[in-house]
């Protein structure tokens, strides 16, 4: 009888570990690039590489990614994105579609809308040419955009 309790306890723990508590928010965001120096966005933001998302093997991602430079700081802007939810989703700049050499820009803020992610330093965008939505916990690619 004692063994049955162990199996029940194990099953409950496994179920609790698989709950959706670590999934990304589904509340749409509308973050926009603020104008620098009081001017208009076109006057103060220099556009860099842009790409459209395609689905990965483990999720669906639509929308665009673009890198902008504002006041000497790079920002990755995800625009009009719609992303299937999953656990531990992060945004990466990567040298490959399957991330081996990448820069983690942080947890995905929301599964939809417009989002901004600061890029530390000045990466070589010829080498770091992919924006990815990636499940870090299970090493699953949800979607990628080649930045050209």
């Amino acid at each position: 009888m004692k063994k049955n309790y162990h199996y029940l306890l194990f099953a409950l723990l496994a179920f609790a570990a698989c709950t959706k508590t670590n999934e990304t928010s589904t509340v749409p965001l509308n973050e926009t690039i603020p104008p620098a120096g009081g001017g208009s966005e076109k006057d103060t933001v220099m556009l860099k590489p842009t790409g459209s998302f395609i689905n990965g093997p483990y999720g669906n991602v639509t929308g665009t990614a673009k890198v902008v430079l504002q006041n000497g700081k790079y920002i990755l802007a995800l625009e009009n994105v719609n992303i299937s939810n999953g656990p531990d989703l992060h945004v990466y700049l990567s040298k490959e579609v399957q991330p081996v050499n990448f820069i983690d820009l942080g947890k995905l803020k929301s599964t939809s809308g417009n989002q901004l992610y600061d890029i530390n330093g000045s990466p070589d965008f010829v080498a770091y040419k992919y924006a990815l939505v990636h499940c870090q916990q299970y090493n699953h690619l949800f979607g990628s955009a080649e930045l050209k």
Side-chain angles (χ1 to χ4, degrees):
M1 184 75 162
K2 194 172 188 179
K3 276 189 175 181
N4 289 339
Y5 287 118
H6 286 106
Y7 289 122
L8 180 60
L9 180 60
F10 177 76
L12 287 173
L13 288 173
F15 177 75
C18 294
T19 61
K20 296 183 178 188
T21 57
N22 62 348
E23 285 193 349
T24 303
S25 170
T26 58
V27 176
L29 290 182
N30 192 23
E31 296 180 337
T32 57
I33 301 164
S40 73
E41 184 177 316
K42 281 187 174 183
D43 294 336
T44 58
V45 177
M46 186 171 107
L47 296 179
K48 291 287 183 183
T50 302
S52 295
F53 277 101
I54 59 172
N55 295 332
Y58 295 98
N60 298 314
V61 181
T62 59
T64 59
K66 71 178 178 182
V67 176
V68 297
L69 177 63
Q70 183 179 50
N71 296 330
K73 180 145 184 78
Y74 288 102
I75 300 168
L76 180 69
L78 304 186
E79 297 180 328
N80 300 313
V81 294
N82 193 6
I83 303 163
S84 56
N85 211 338
D88 201 24
L89 296 179
H90 282 242
V91 177
Y92 294 165
L93 276 180
S94 180
K95 291 183 177 182
E96 311 87 9
V97 173
Q98 285 295 331
V100 175
N101 301 290
F102 63 92
I103 301 168
D104 186 349
L105 302 181
K107 285 189 149 298
L108 182 69
K109 297 174 185 178
S110 175
T111 59
S112 63
N114 301 309
Q115 304 166 41
L116 303 176
Y117 296 87
D118 291 337
I119 301 170
N120 292 326
S122 298
D124 177 3
F125 293 107
V126 173
Y128 287 93
K129 62 182 181 176
Y130 295 98
L132 307 179
V133 176
H134 189 265
C135 171
Q136 199 170 54
Q137 182 177 359
Y138 296 108
N139 194 24
H140 288 167
L141 178 65
F142 274 55
S144 64
E146 184 174 2
L147 304 171
K148 299 179 185 178

